[in-house]
């Protein structure tokens, strides 16, 4: 009979065991309310703590937050006026 407190084990792709350094041998499973990782090659076990969501890294494509008071310049273009400039 299966243990009701033990959930399905999931292999973590690319994970490296901290003890034996084997690749793709780490599985995650929950036991009660605690999440554990285990190496199927050497038997290493470790309890994982939920640290919450990591803050988003700032990159050049990360949307910038603008304040409501900050004014932005807008240039209006008249398509009829600009149409004659590009023709040769």
């Amino acid at each position: 009979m299966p243990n009701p407190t033990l959930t399905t084990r999931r292999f973590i792709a690319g994970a490296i065991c901290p003890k034996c350094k084997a690749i793709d041998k780490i599985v995650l499973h929950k036991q009660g309310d605690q999440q554990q990782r285990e190496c199927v090659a050497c038997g290493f076990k470790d309890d994982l703590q939920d640290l919450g969501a990591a803050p988003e890294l700032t990159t050049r494509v990360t949307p910038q937050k603008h304040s409501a008071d900050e004014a932005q310049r807008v240039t209006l273009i008249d398509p009829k006026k600009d149409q004659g400039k590009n023709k040769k």
Side-chain angles (χ1 to χ4, degrees), residues 25-69:
K25 300 294 182 184
I26 299 289
V27 293
L28 279 182
H29 59 88
K30 273 192 169 182
Q31 192 165 12
D33 62 346
Q34 185 66 34
Q35 194 171 31
Q36 295 181 334
R37 65 179 172 172
E38 179 181 354
C39 178
V40 296
C42 71
F44 170 80
K45 290 184 180 182
D46 190 16
D47 292 335
L48 296 178
Q49 297 176 356
D50 186 14
L51 300 175
E56 184 176 359
L57 297 175
T58 303
T59 64
R60 64 182 176 86
V61 295
T62 305
Q64 300 296 322
K65 296 178 183 176
H66 296 286
S67 67
D69 297 335

Side-chain angles (χ1 to χ4, degrees), residues 11-18 20-27 39-41:
F11 277 90
I12 307 302
I16 300 172
C17 175
C20 70
K21 307 298 184 219
I23 300 173
D24 294 335
K25 300 294 182 184
I26 299 289
V27 293
C39 178
V40 296

Side-chain angles (χ1 to χ4, degrees), residues 70-87:
E70 188 176 324
Q72 294 181 345
R73 184 177 179 162
V74 177
T75 304
L76 300 177
I77 300 173
D78 184 6
K80 292 178 184 178
K81 190 174 184 180
D82 291 339
Q83 201 172 29
K85 291 182 181 178
N86 295 332
K87 289 185 179 180

